[in-house]
Amino acid sequence: MIIAIILAGGVGLRVGANRPKQFVEVLGKPILAYTIEIFQNHPEVDAVEVVCHKSWKDFLKQMIRQYDLSKVRWIADGGNTFQESVMNGMNYLKGKISTDDYVLIQYGAAPFTSEKIVADVIRVMKEKGSSVTATPCYQLLGSNDGNESRTWVNRDRYIQIACPYGFHYGYLLDIYKRAKEQELIDQVEPHTTSLMYALGDRIYKAYGDQTNIKITTKEDLDIFEGYVLMKQKRNKTCI
């Protein structure tokens, strides 16, 4: 099986709304619903688990019914950090899925992810045991030295890593087991991939593109609204 773990436990309010950004509506529909639909509609994904902020569970359940998100099989409690939410979601699946199954980790506020990206993450994950979507750095990179930038950075040496991350479930459990034993979880920047770097594990790249952003600011909301309208226009043209 392939299970998508969608992280919706955050309380980020930087988009300027009165609710967590994953529950902000765009054209009358919550961002989280758009994100879940990516995996609801993907033929290789068998089930979905949502790691949800405790105060928004009832809203989530109503949303699942409203948009017929039938692949959502589990709802786990969100944590105070990315790592806590991943661990909550990962541990909630113990006894429910096999260690031979696969899991995809996705931000609830990342609704831009394309079917092409998900498919390639799954392809590399099955081949290598794990994968991340990776995009080249297209813009010039420089050092951040206070009010100025003093050093040019070779952008060809770096990639931008985004969700979804894909893992053999047994391997994901092992990452956090080793990280806990080495007391790394609270010491490194809070991402599963950061733990992998700290542990010396290899990170395998899958296809990524510049569209696959996470909604963080009000401007991102405007971009996503335009993106949805563009897709609706294209779909009408194809009918």
Side-chain angles (χ1 to χ4, degrees):
M1 289 179 63
I2 296 177
I3 298 94
I5 301 175
I6 299 179
L7 306 178
V11 295
L13 301 174
R14 278 182 286 177
V15 296
N18 61 350
R19 58 179 64 191
K21 59 188 174 184
Q22 62 269 25
F23 296 108
V24 171
E25 293 187 356
V26 172
L27 300 177
K29 184 174 177 178
I31 290 169
L32 180 59
Y34 289 102
T35 303
I36 295 174
E37 283 179 340
I38 296 166
F39 303 93
Q40 173 75 27
N41 297 330
H42 200 285
E44 293 183 88
V45 176
D46 299 292
V48 173
E49 176 195 46
V50 181
V51 183
C52 184
H53 190 288
K54 293 179 182 179
S55 300
W56 287 84
K57 279 188 172 183
D58 288 340
F59 181 95
L60 172 63
K61 291 174 183 177
Q62 188 276 331
M63 188 189 80
I64 290 168
R65 291 191 295 269
Q66 180 178 353
Y67 295 101
D68 192 24
L69 302 171
S70 58
K71 285 187 181 179
V72 179
R73 290 178 55 181
W74 307 286
I75 299 174
D77 289 341
N80 294 322
T81 65
F82 175 94
Q83 299 290 27
E84 283 186 17
S85 288
V86 171
M87 289 187 289
N88 286 358
M90 175 186 73
N91 290 329
Y92 191 78
L93 293 175
K94 288 181 179 178
K96 299 177 178 67
I97 67 173
S98 167
T99 54
D100 291 329
D101 289 328
Y102 294 93
V103 294
L104 302 169
I105 298 175
Q106 175 81 355
Y107 286 108
F112 286 96
T113 304
S114 66
E115 180 179 353
K116 180 178 180 180
I117 287 174
V118 177
D120 204 54
V121 167
I122 290 172
R123 178 188 66 82
V124 177
M125 171 183 70
K126 287 183 173 181
E127 180 182 337
K128 301 292 187 179
S130 67
S131 62
V132 301
T133 177
T135 307
C137 295
Y138 290 106
Q139 299 197 51
L140 182 67
L141 295 180
S143 63
N144 185 5
D145 306 306
N147 294 325
E148 58 186 86
S149 179
R150 299 171 188 158
T151 307
W152 170 77
V153 179
N154 184 354
R155 63 188 176 189
D156 293 333
R157 296 183 58 194
Y158 298 93
I159 57 172
Q160 298 178 88
I161 294 175
C163 286
Y165 309 147
F167 299 96
H168 191 273
Y169 180 53
Y171 174 52
L172 182 64
L173 291 170
D174 182 64
I175 290 172
Y176 280 91
K177 178 177 179 292
R178 287 182 289 138
K180 187 175 181 179
E181 290 171 349
Q182 297 182 36
E183 299 182 344
L184 292 172
I185 291 175
D186 296 324
Q187 295 182 26
V188 301
E189 199 256 343
H191 290 278
T192 309
T193 47
S194 306
L195 292 179
M196 294 172 70
Y197 281 122
L199 291 165
D201 290 10
R202 292 186 179 182
I203 292 179
Y204 296 99
K205 300 184 295 182
Y207 172 79
D209 58 44
Q210 293 189 91
T211 304
N212 189 30
I213 65 171
K214 180 181 70 166
I215 290 177
T216 304
T217 67
K218 176 64 170 63
E219 290 74 22
D220 297 333
L221 279 177
D222 294 338
I223 292 170
F224 183 61
E225 182 173 334
Y227 179 76
V228 174
L229 289 170
M230 177 270 294
K231 290 184 70 175
Q232 290 177 351
K233 182 179 180 180
R234 285 184 179 177
N235 289 339
K236 287 180 181 178
T237 303
C238 293
I239 294 176

